[in-house]
Amino acid sequence: NAGVTQTPKFQVLKTGQSMTLQCAQDMNHEYMSWYRQDPGMGLRLIHYSVGAGITDQGEVPNGYNVSRSTTEDFPLRLLSAAPSQTSVYFCASSHRDGGKETQYFGPGTRLLVL
Amino acid sequence: GENVEQHPSTLSVQEGDSAVIKCTYSDSASNYFPWYKQELGKRPQLIIDIRSNVGEKKDQRIAVTLNKTAKHFSLHITETQPEDSAVYFCAASQGNTPLVFGKGTRLSVIA
Protein backbone atom coordinates (compact mmCIF):
# COMPACT_ATOMS: atom_id res chain seq x y z
CA ASN A 1 0.00 0.00 0.00
CA ALA A 2 1.21 3.49 -0.84
CA GLY A 3 -0.79 4.95 2.07
CA VAL A 4 -1.50 8.67 1.62
CA THR A 5 0.14 10.40 -1.33
CA GLN A 6 0.29 14.10 -2.13
CA THR A 7 1.37 16.04 -5.18
CA PRO A 8 3.18 18.27 -5.77
CA LYS A 9 5.89 18.20 -3.07
CA PHE A 10 6.73 21.85 -3.60
CA GLN A 11 5.03 24.69 -5.46
CA VAL A 12 5.65 28.38 -5.99
CA LEU A 13 2.67 30.55 -6.93
CA LYS A 14 2.16 34.20 -7.64
CA THR A 15 -0.52 36.11 -5.79
CA GLY A 16 -3.89 35.58 -7.46
CA GLN A 17 -3.03 32.30 -9.14
CA SER A 18 -5.12 29.22 -8.51
CA MET A 19 -4.00 25.64 -8.09
CA THR A 20 -5.08 22.24 -6.84
CA LEU A 21 -3.19 20.15 -4.30
CA GLN A 22 -3.80 16.48 -4.93
CA CYS A 23 -4.30 13.86 -2.23
CA ALA A 24 -5.04 10.17 -2.59
CA GLN A 25 -5.25 7.21 -0.19
CA ASP A 26 -5.46 3.49 -0.85
CA MET A 27 -6.51 2.32 2.62
CA ASN A 28 -10.27 2.63 1.98
CA HIS A 29 -10.56 5.14 4.83
CA GLU A 30 -13.83 7.00 5.06
CA TYR A 31 -12.36 10.12 6.70
CA MET A 32 -9.99 12.53 4.97
CA SER A 33 -8.70 15.91 6.10
CA TRP A 34 -6.53 18.81 5.01
CA TYR A 35 -4.31 20.63 7.49
CA ARG A 36 -1.92 23.52 7.19
CA GLN A 37 1.16 23.75 9.36
CA ASP A 38 2.72 27.09 10.16
CA PRO A 39 5.57 27.75 12.62
CA GLY A 40 4.25 27.92 16.16
CA MET A 41 0.66 27.29 15.06
CA GLY A 42 0.50 23.52 15.06
CA LEU A 43 -1.77 21.66 12.68
CA ARG A 44 -4.88 23.58 11.77
CA LEU A 45 -7.79 21.87 10.06
CA ILE A 46 -8.88 23.43 6.76
CA HIS A 47 -11.58 21.08 5.47
CA TYR A 48 -12.53 17.49 6.11
CA SER A 49 -14.73 14.77 4.66
CA VAL A 50 -16.54 11.91 6.35
CA GLY A 51 -17.21 10.09 3.10
CA ALA A 52 -17.64 10.47 -0.65
CA GLY A 53 -19.86 13.43 -1.44
CA ILE A 54 -19.67 14.87 2.09
CA THR A 55 -17.36 17.71 3.11
CA ASP A 56 -17.28 20.21 5.94
CA GLN A 57 -15.28 23.22 7.05
CA GLY A 58 -12.57 23.12 9.64
CA GLU A 59 -10.92 25.89 11.62
CA VAL A 60 -9.41 27.85 8.70
CA PRO A 61 -11.47 27.21 5.53
CA ASN A 62 -11.39 30.65 3.90
CA GLY A 63 -9.71 30.72 0.50
CA TYR A 64 -9.89 26.95 0.02
CA ASN A 65 -12.36 24.58 -1.60
CA VAL A 66 -12.58 20.80 -1.48
CA SER A 67 -14.60 18.04 -3.07
CA ARG A 68 -14.80 14.29 -2.46
CA SER A 69 -16.13 12.50 -5.52
CA THR A 70 -14.46 9.20 -4.64
CA THR A 71 -13.32 7.51 -1.43
CA GLU A 72 -9.71 7.65 -2.60
CA ASP A 73 -9.26 11.29 -3.64
CA PHE A 74 -9.60 14.56 -1.75
CA PRO A 75 -8.16 17.54 -3.69
CA LEU A 76 -7.70 20.96 -2.12
CA ARG A 77 -8.21 24.00 -4.34
CA LEU A 78 -6.73 27.41 -3.75
CA LEU A 79 -9.01 29.82 -5.56
CA SER A 80 -6.82 32.94 -5.60
CA ALA A 81 -3.54 32.43 -3.81
CA ALA A 82 -2.40 34.96 -1.21
CA PRO A 83 0.95 35.27 0.62
CA SER A 84 -0.88 34.29 3.85
CA GLN A 85 -1.42 30.86 2.31
CA THR A 86 2.31 30.17 2.29
CA SER A 87 2.50 27.05 4.41
CA VAL A 88 3.06 23.32 4.50
CA TYR A 89 -0.11 21.42 3.67
CA PHE A 90 -0.78 17.92 4.95
CA CYS A 91 -3.52 15.61 3.80
CA ALA A 92 -4.58 12.82 6.13
CA SER A 93 -6.91 9.87 6.07
CA SER A 94 -8.32 7.95 8.98
CA HIS A 95 -10.68 5.29 10.17
CA ARG A 96 -12.68 5.69 13.37
CA ASP A 97 -13.20 2.55 15.40
CA GLY A 98 -14.66 2.50 18.88
CA GLY A 99 -13.89 6.14 19.49
CA LYS A 100 -10.28 5.76 18.40
CA GLU A 101 -8.93 7.45 15.30
CA THR A 102 -5.46 7.14 13.79
CA GLN A 103 -4.63 9.86 11.28
CA TYR A 104 -2.29 8.75 8.50
CA PHE A 105 -0.61 11.80 7.05
CA GLY A 106 0.75 12.30 3.57
CA PRO A 107 4.29 13.61 3.01
CA GLY A 108 3.14 17.21 2.72
CA THR A 109 3.17 19.94 0.08
CA ARG A 110 5.29 23.01 0.70
CA LEU A 111 3.62 26.05 -0.88
CA LEU A 112 5.20 29.45 -1.35
CA VAL A 113 3.02 32.33 -2.53
CA LEU A 114 4.89 35.38 -3.76
CA GLY B 1 -15.58 24.15 20.13
CA GLU B 2 -12.62 22.30 21.56
CA ASN B 3 -9.43 24.20 22.40
CA VAL B 4 -6.17 22.40 23.20
CA GLU B 5 -3.30 24.20 24.93
CA GLN B 6 0.16 22.59 24.92
CA HIS B 7 3.20 23.41 27.07
CA PRO B 8 6.07 23.96 26.86
CA SER B 9 6.61 25.09 23.28
CA THR B 10 10.27 24.05 23.46
CA LEU B 11 12.02 21.60 25.76
CA SER B 12 15.67 20.63 26.02
CA VAL B 13 16.82 17.65 28.07
CA GLN B 14 20.04 15.77 28.53
CA GLU B 15 20.21 12.31 27.02
CA GLY B 16 18.95 9.79 29.55
CA ASP B 17 16.74 12.28 31.40
CA SER B 18 12.95 12.29 31.30
CA ALA B 19 10.76 14.69 29.34
CA VAL B 20 7.20 15.70 30.13
CA ILE B 21 4.82 17.58 27.83
CA LYS B 22 1.46 18.77 29.11
CA CYS B 23 -1.81 19.55 27.38
CA THR B 24 -5.12 20.91 28.59
CA TYR B 25 -8.44 20.71 26.78
CA SER B 26 -11.61 22.70 27.15
CA ASP B 27 -14.45 20.40 26.10
CA SER B 28 -15.43 17.93 28.82
CA ALA B 29 -17.08 15.78 26.13
CA SER B 30 -13.69 14.97 24.57
CA ASN B 31 -12.78 11.35 25.18
CA TYR B 32 -9.89 10.52 22.89
CA PHE B 33 -6.37 11.93 23.27
CA PRO B 34 -3.61 10.93 20.82
CA TRP B 35 -0.01 12.10 20.62
CA TYR B 36 1.84 12.55 17.34
CA LYS B 37 5.56 12.84 16.69
CA GLN B 38 6.96 14.79 13.76
CA GLU B 39 10.62 14.45 12.92
CA LEU B 40 12.30 17.23 10.99
CA GLY B 41 11.02 17.36 7.42
CA LYS B 42 8.74 14.38 7.93
CA ARG B 43 5.02 13.81 8.38
CA PRO B 44 3.37 13.51 11.83
CA GLN B 45 2.92 9.96 13.07
CA LEU B 46 0.85 8.57 15.93
CA ILE B 47 2.98 7.34 18.82
CA ILE B 48 0.46 6.69 21.58
CA ASP B 49 -3.14 7.46 22.46
CA ILE B 50 -5.50 7.17 25.40
CA ARG B 51 -9.23 7.07 25.84
CA SER B 52 -11.08 8.68 28.70
CA ASN B 53 -11.93 5.39 30.38
CA VAL B 54 -8.23 4.85 31.12
CA GLY B 55 -6.01 6.94 33.41
CA GLU B 56 -2.61 5.86 32.13
CA LYS B 57 -1.13 3.96 29.22
CA LYS B 58 2.47 2.87 28.63
CA ASP B 59 4.42 1.71 25.61
CA GLN B 60 8.06 1.01 26.42
CA ARG B 61 9.66 4.41 27.22
CA ILE B 62 6.54 6.41 26.45
CA ALA B 63 3.53 6.90 28.71
CA VAL B 64 0.47 9.09 28.66
CA THR B 65 -1.58 10.09 31.70
CA LEU B 66 -5.05 11.60 31.74
CA ASN B 67 -6.81 13.61 34.44
CA LYS B 68 -10.42 14.02 33.31
CA THR B 69 -11.39 16.13 36.29
CA ALA B 70 -8.71 18.72 35.59
CA LYS B 71 -9.04 18.23 31.82
CA HIS B 72 -5.36 17.71 31.20
CA PHE B 73 -3.17 14.95 29.84
CA SER B 74 0.57 14.51 29.62
CA LEU B 75 3.21 12.67 27.60
CA HIS B 76 6.12 11.20 29.52
CA ILE B 77 9.29 10.01 27.80
CA THR B 78 11.84 8.25 29.98
CA GLU B 79 15.52 7.57 29.27
CA THR B 80 15.47 10.03 26.36
CA GLN B 81 17.64 9.33 23.33
CA PRO B 82 18.78 11.61 20.48
CA GLU B 83 16.22 10.00 18.18
CA ASP B 84 13.47 11.32 20.46
CA SER B 85 14.29 14.83 19.20
CA ALA B 86 11.21 15.96 17.27
CA VAL B 87 8.07 18.06 17.49
CA TYR B 88 5.32 16.44 19.52
CA PHE B 89 1.63 17.28 19.11
CA CYS B 90 -1.21 16.42 21.44
CA ALA B 91 -4.80 16.31 20.21
CA ALA B 92 -8.31 15.80 21.50
CA SER B 93 -11.65 14.76 20.07
CA GLN B 94 -15.01 13.34 21.05
CA GLY B 95 -14.30 10.27 18.94
CA ASN B 96 -16.80 11.24 16.26
CA THR B 97 -15.47 14.75 15.65
CA PRO B 98 -12.29 15.97 13.98
CA LEU B 99 -9.12 16.01 16.04
CA VAL B 100 -8.07 19.38 17.46
CA PHE B 101 -4.30 19.66 17.79
CA GLY B 102 -2.15 21.59 20.21
CA LYS B 103 0.51 23.91 18.82
CA GLY B 104 3.33 21.48 19.38
CA THR B 105 6.43 21.07 21.56
CA ARG B 106 9.89 20.97 20.05
CA LEU B 107 11.93 18.48 22.08
CA SER B 108 15.71 18.52 21.81
CA VAL B 109 17.68 15.71 23.41
CA ILE B 110 21.27 16.78 24.00
CA ALA B 111 23.87 14.03 23.83
Side-chain angles (χ1 to χ4, degrees):
Chain A
N1 287 350
V4 180
T5 58
Q6 290 182 237
T7 56
K9 291 184 179 180
F10 181 72
Q11 183 72 45
V12 179
L13 290 178
K14 295 181 179 179
T15 296
Q17 287 184 316
S18 63
M19 79 161 294
T20 298
L21 280 63
Q22 301 292 344
C23 174
Q25 55 97 3
D26 61 0
M27 296 175 281
N28 201 33
H29 287 163
E30 63 269 38
Y31 300 101
M32 296 188 74
S33 305
W34 275 102
Y35 297 89
R36 60 177 289 173
Q37 183 174 29
D38 303 292
M41 298 299 292
L43 295 159
R44 293 186 291 171
L45 183 65
I46 304 171
H47 286 285
Y48 65 99
S49 169
V50 299
I54 305 170
T55 63
D56 206 346
Q57 296 181 349
E59 178 186 358
V60 288
N62 293 342
Y64 307 94
N65 275 355
V66 292
S67 60
R68 184 98 180 269
S69 56
T70 67
T71 299
E72 295 78 19
D73 300 299
F74 191 43
L76 178 72
R77 298 182 184 85
L78 278 69
L79 309 173
S80 178
S84 61
Q85 293 179 304
T86 293
S87 188
V88 179
Y89 292 85
F90 286 100
C91 178
S93 74
S94 62
H95 170 69
R96 293 174 186 166
D97 183 11
K100 177 188 168 102
E101 175 181 5
T102 300
Q103 293 265 9
Y104 293 88
F105 286 86
T109 293
R110 188 173 296 273
L111 178 67
L112 175 62
V113 182
L114 302 175
Chain B
E2 176 65 273
N3 182 52
V4 177
E5 300 279 343
Q6 184 171 347
H7 299 280
S9 57
T10 60
L11 178 61
S12 292
V13 298
Q14 293 289 331
E15 182 178 359
D17 287 350
S18 295
V20 180
I21 303 170
K22 299 180 180 181
C23 289
T24 60
Y25 60 99
S26 61
D27 190 344
S28 57
S30 290
N31 57 17
Y32 176 63
F33 309 94
W35 287 87
Y36 284 77
K37 176 183 179 182
Q38 185 181 28
E39 298 177 354
L40 188 63
K42 300 291 183 63
R43 70 192 78 183
Q45 291 189 299
L46 178 71
I47 55 171
I48 195 168
D49 57 11
I50 192 169
R51 295 186 60 192
S52 60
N53 58 348
V54 176
E56 182 176 5
K57 183 177 179 181
K58 290 183 179 179
D59 183 3
Q60 299 183 340
R61 297 185 297 107
I62 293 174
V64 57
T65 58
L66 172 64
N67 184 326
K68 287 190 295 182
T69 302
K71 289 190 285 188
H72 66 70
F73 57 110
S74 301
L75 178 71
H76 305 254
I77 306 174
T78 59
E79 301 173 11
T80 53
Q81 302 169 3
E83 52 264 38
D84 294 328
S85 295
V87 178
Y88 292 82
F89 294 98
C90 63
S93 82
Q94 296 180 26
N96 60 353
T97 56
L99 289 171
V100 176
F101 285 88
K103 293 184 177 180
T105 296
R106 182 175 300 279
L107 173 65
S108 299
V109 179
I110 304 166

